[in-house]
Amino acid sequence: MERNSRWPGFYKLSIEERRQVAAEALGISVSDMQQALEGGLQSERADKIIENVVGTFSLPFALALNVTVNGSDYIAPMVVEEPSVVAAASNAARMIRGGGGFEADADDPVMTAQVQLDEVPDPVAACERLRGHSGELCALGDAQVPGLLRRGGGVRGIEVRDLGDGMVVVHFFVDCRDAMGANLVNTVAEGVATRIQELSGGEIGLRILSNLCDRRKVRVRARVPAASLAGNGFDGARVRDGIVKASRFAERDPYRATTHNKGLMNGLDAVVIATGNDWRAVESGVHAYAARDGQYRPLCVWRGEGDDLVGELELPLSLGIVGGPSRVHDGARMGLRIVGVESATELAMVAASVGMASNLAALRALATEGIQRGHMALHARSVAIAAGATGAEVERVASTIHGKGDINLAAAEQALSALRGGREQVVAPPPGE
Ligand code: HMG
């Protein structure tokens, strides 16, 4: 079904109304959505997934809108606890959509298995011998994962590395198709170890995947007409130039690059979690890649090209759409139904695009009015809840503290007590909102 991800004003609806709109647009029943997203996981099932379970832990599940990747529209599920992240991603995706949307491509889903050898008596000769048996070793690796072979995946090659002091490491490159691949890759690593030991003469050490999946990269490019960036009293050209300068700052300074990438991971991680993927694996791989030349660098950079702002993102991303939590977590399964991708690489392209949108939204705010107005306006609701507001009180307390420009717990408690005591002071929000 051809989807349209442009749902203006969706955020102004109630949760029930949003479910109606989403259900109709996505061809999913409201009751399925409700069942999957109210909790997503019962304690009894959770107890079968990890150990020492005493309950479950919920986070907000939301939809990012306006996402167009390679000419197709996607509704991107996001699980995140931080206010303004979803609004920001949808906002920037809308601007990027104005320039034709995200253009993305991804490598084949190839993960690396590492087999460590220690105390190899003659590392140079061992490396040569191992390389000379690469065909046999690949076939042996394939034999460990017959199901993957049937699905078109398998071992694509090996690499042998001499790490010095008698330590040799053999890499197996495994195409995991639509799986994230950790179990498959570990199965290969363990299954080939004995033969590797015979060939090298060393002692077998670790047999495990590498989360630095730099053969499984995704790239996203976006062109945003400067005019689409204008707003809050700033003309588009000035915003574009401010974003380019912000990008250069991150390229030169690891302190800034870290926060730049945090803003990007706001969106990327949220999609990773909503689709039941392993965000620790993604995080470790992405940050190792960001520091690959010895300096920690931004994963997405922005340049001016004529009147346009052009963004380019590249990062390693190991996501799956089969196996793992998608089998046992109703919320994760719903996340996958909503995003509606047909392959793990397609999911990687959508998730990375949402990451790029998050990065752009934050830079646009930082390069103009600052982050606080947009972020704190939405954060005010969490502060109101923390102060004890419930139901309709939440919006009223949030609006009062936001209007006063005083978004903190003490101000929220005061506003709540005034509201409950009938002494609510109505304060208009700051100009421009
Ligand atoms: P705005 O200009 O007031 O929004 O922006 P608007 O009312 O003009 O609406 C524009 C679009 O934004 C809407 O389109 C929605 O898509 C979306 P429409 O539906 O009208 O066609 N939108 C919303 N979506 C859901 N709920 C909402 C909502 N409001 C607008 N309530 C906005 C307001 C917050 C979007 C803007 O100020 C913004 O993008 N700010 C950036 C906020 C941000 O980046 N937050 C992330 C947390 S900060 C952080 O952790 C990272 C950081 O340190 C990274 C770094 O340093 O690089 C900053």
Side-chain angles (χ1 to χ4, degrees):
M1 185 177 68
E2 196 57 34
R3 285 180 181 170
N4 180 353
S5 65
R6 179 91 193 100
W7 302 348
F10 182 67
Y11 64 92
K12 294 177 184 151
L13 305 177
S14 67
I15 292 180
E16 284 69 30
E17 288 168 332
R18 285 186 206 133
R19 280 184 185 153
Q20 288 283 354
V21 170
E24 200 171 312
L26 298 168
I28 298 171
S29 77
V30 174
S31 65
D32 273 10
M33 205 174 279
Q34 178 164 345
Q35 213 171 356
L37 299 180
E38 290 295 354
L41 185 64
Q42 304 308 313
S43 294
E44 299 76 54
R45 200 180 286 181
D47 194 34
K48 307 288 178 287
I49 300 177
I50 64 163
E51 313 72 42
N52 293 354
V53 167
V54 291
T56 59
F57 182 101
S58 296
L59 287 171
F61 184 110
L63 303 179
L65 304 178
N66 309 322
V67 179
T68 308
V69 184
N70 296 336
S72 296
D73 271 22
Y74 296 89
I75 306 299
M78 297 179 82
V79 168
V80 63
E81 85 299 343
E82 188 176 359
S84 88
V85 167
V86 177
S90 303
N91 191 24
R94 192 180 65 144
M95 292 167 199
I96 288 171
R97 190 185 176 87
F102 303 92
E103 278 170 33
D105 70 278
D107 298 331
D108 283 342
V110 173
M111 298 293 285
T112 302
Q114 294 195 291
V115 180
Q116 178 200 11
L117 292 155
D118 254 316
E119 302 189 27
V120 178
D122 182 348
V124 174
C127 287
E128 263 176 43
R129 215 166 22 255
L130 287 162
R131 286 187 192 110
H133 285 76
S134 65
E136 177 202 332
L137 289 172
C138 288
L140 183 59
D142 277 343
Q144 313 306 315
V145 283
L148 177 62
L149 240 55
R150 281 196 295 278
R151 293 194 299 279
V155 179
R156 299 292 184 243
I158 68 164
E159 178 183 50
V160 185
R161 299 164 62 215
D162 183 350
L163 299 189
D165 296 329
M167 189 186 292
V168 168
V169 172
V170 186
H171 284 180
F172 280 71
F173 303 122
V174 186
D175 184 330
C176 299
R177 295 289 86 200
D178 288 323
M180 182 274 183
N183 289 335
L184 293 165
V185 169
N186 295 342
T187 302
V188 169
E190 293 191 1
V192 296
T194 307
R195 180 62 181 140
I196 286 182
Q197 184 174 31
E198 285 166 8
L199 290 168
S200 69
E203 278 182 15
I204 285 292
L206 309 187
R207 294 143 293 158
I208 190 75
L209 91 164
S210 169
N211 285 121
L212 178 51
C213 53
D214 55 3
R215 291 181 177 240
R216 195 176 186 173
K217 292 202 291 281
V218 57
R219 289 158 291 273
V220 184
R221 199 177 139 86
R223 176 175 290 278
V224 195
S228 313
L229 297 164
N232 298 322
F234 294 87
D235 73 65
R238 180 154 167 220
V239 181
R240 178 200 57 212
D241 295 346
I243 292 170
V244 170
K245 284 182 193 154
S247 176
R248 291 234 170 83
F249 180 12
E251 288 162 58
R252 286 174 192 193
D253 178 15
Y255 286 92
R256 175 56 210 156
T258 306
T259 324
H260 179 103
N261 288 345
K262 189 277 181 188
L264 188 158
M265 297 311 286
N266 273 341
L268 176 46
D269 275 337
V271 179
V272 170
I273 298 170
T275 53
N277 276 286
D278 180 344
W279 72 95
R280 287 91 53 214
V282 168
E283 282 281 332
S284 59
V286 155
H287 298 299
Y289 188 71
R292 65 195 175 283
D293 69 0
Q295 178 175 326
Y296 187 87
R297 294 187 187 281
L299 296 156
C300 179
V301 296
W302 298 91
R303 294 281 181 266
E305 267 186 32
D307 279 346
D308 299 340
L309 176 72
V310 173
E312 282 185 12
L313 167 152
E314 181 179 80
L315 45 83
L317 196 50
S318 53
L319 301 184
I321 61 167
V322 295
S326 66
R327 282 207 200 107
V328 289
H329 193 288
D330 293 342
R333 243 200 320 263
M334 182 53 65
L336 286 169
R337 273 181 83 183
I338 288 172
V339 73
V341 294
E342 283 172 9
S343 68
T345 47
E346 191 182 351
L347 179 60
M349 292 190 276
V350 175
S353 297
V354 175
M356 177 185 261
S358 302
N359 180 229
L360 175 61
L363 295 188
R364 177 174 175 266
L366 290 166
T368 56
E369 58 177 349
I371 200 73
Q372 292 302 70
R373 183 197 64 87
H375 177 62
M376 291 309 271
L378 296 170
H379 178 59
R381 296 185 302 186
S382 302
V383 178
I385 292 169
T390 55
E393 290 172 341
V394 176
E395 293 296 343
R396 291 176 72 178
V397 170
S399 145
T400 302
I401 59 175
H402 178 228
K404 284 183 176 167
D406 203 9
I407 302 173
N408 60 56
L409 192 59
E413 281 167 354
Q414 205 180 12
L416 182 62
S417 112
L419 176 64
R420 288 183 177 167
R423 291 173 284 109
E424 185 188 19
Q425 211 189 333
V426 178
V427 182
E433 286 168 56

